Each structure stands twice: as structure tokens, then as C-alpha cells.
Amino acid sequence: MSYTAYGPPMEFYDQLNSADSDQIGLCLIQGDSPGSKFEIPI
């Protein structure tokens, strides 16, 4: 993943501690999410 467009944001997220993530409202969602690029059209 580090060589994709998701790499830099994931590295940023990995460097934050949980208190800082919570303070700025950042959370990691793994898997499908409505409206995401991960949806598979039927």
C-alpha cells in the first residue's frame, strides 16, 4: 500500500498516537464504506 495514493496518509496515521487521532477526529475504517472507491457495482 505504501506505493499507492493511500501510502502517505497511512504513514501519517501510523505516526499519531490515539489521543492525537481522537482530538482531530481521525479514525481508520478498514473495508467497504458507502460511497468509497471500495464499493463493487452490481
Side-chain angles (χ1 to χ4, degrees):
M1 179 177 292
S2 62
Y3 297 106
T4 69
Y6 301 104
M10 288 301 301
E11 289 178 23
F12 173 76
Y13 180 80
D14 288 341
Q15 293 176 6
L16 291 176
N17 62 41
S18 61
D20 291 339
S21 294
D22 290 343
Q23 186 175 8
I24 62 174
L26 184 63
C27 64
L28 176 61
I29 300 172
Q30 295 182 0
D32 295 342
S33 176
S36 72
K37 293 181 180 182
F38 298 109
E39 280 187 9
I40 301 172
I42 298 175

